[in-house]
Amino acid sequence: AACTEDAARLQDLLVPPADQRSITADVTASLAEYGSLYERFLVWEWRMAGHGHKPLSRAEVQRMRLLEDALSIRLVARRRWLVHSKLEAVTEEVARRQREVDKARLQET
């Protein structure tokens, strides 16, 4: 019982109860928000961002961390895996297209 109380107290320190309620009220929407923030974060980190794209603001980074703390780690891990898979597929497609362009240029000369 004491461990459960300590865990609840520590969770309240990580995620204020009002935020916890709003995040868990619609977990699907919260996961979608997290996925969007994490994707933008990775696009910037992997240097995939084009002109006009900016890194996450300080408030967006704080929101992403809050969502990580409030949501189930399994749900967060799955969303991160989905984002990684998506970006890896995009990276592979870009590389494939670049190889095709390079091959076409070689054939022209």
Side-chain angles (χ1 to χ4, degrees):
C3 290
T4 303
E5 290 172 7
D6 286 344
R9 185 178 52 76
L10 292 173
Q11 181 66 21
D12 287 347
L13 289 174
L14 278 175
V15 183
D19 289 331
Q20 183 73 39
R21 283 190 298 277
S22 70
I23 290 168
T24 56
D26 189 353
V27 173
T28 303
S30 296
L31 279 172
E33 179 187 4
Y34 176 78
S36 175
L37 290 169
Y38 186 68
E39 182 174 335
R40 286 183 48 220
F41 170 77
L42 277 188
V43 163
W44 185 261
E45 287 292 309
W46 289 3
R47 312 261 190 287
M48 295 172 67
H51 297 293
H53 288 90
K54 296 180 180 178
L56 295 179
S57 67
R58 180 173 287 158
E60 289 170 324
V61 169
Q62 288 174 340
R63 178 67 179 175
M64 187 173 73
R65 289 181 182 153
L66 179 68
L67 290 166
E68 287 173 344
D69 290 338
L71 293 167
S72 160
I73 190 64
R74 289 182 182 196
L75 295 176
V76 169
R78 176 166 171 71
R79 187 56 55 138
R80 288 174 75 125
W81 178 79
L82 290 170
V83 169
H84 272 269
S85 297
K86 177 183 175 182
L87 294 181
E88 286 172 356
V90 168
T91 302
E92 289 171 11
E93 181 64 18
V94 167
R96 184 188 66 78
R97 289 184 183 186
Q98 186 61 50
R99 284 191 303 273
E100 289 175 359
V101 167
D102 293 344
K103 185 177 177 181
R105 285 185 185 156
L106 287 174
Q107 290 176 349
E108 290 176 358
T109 58

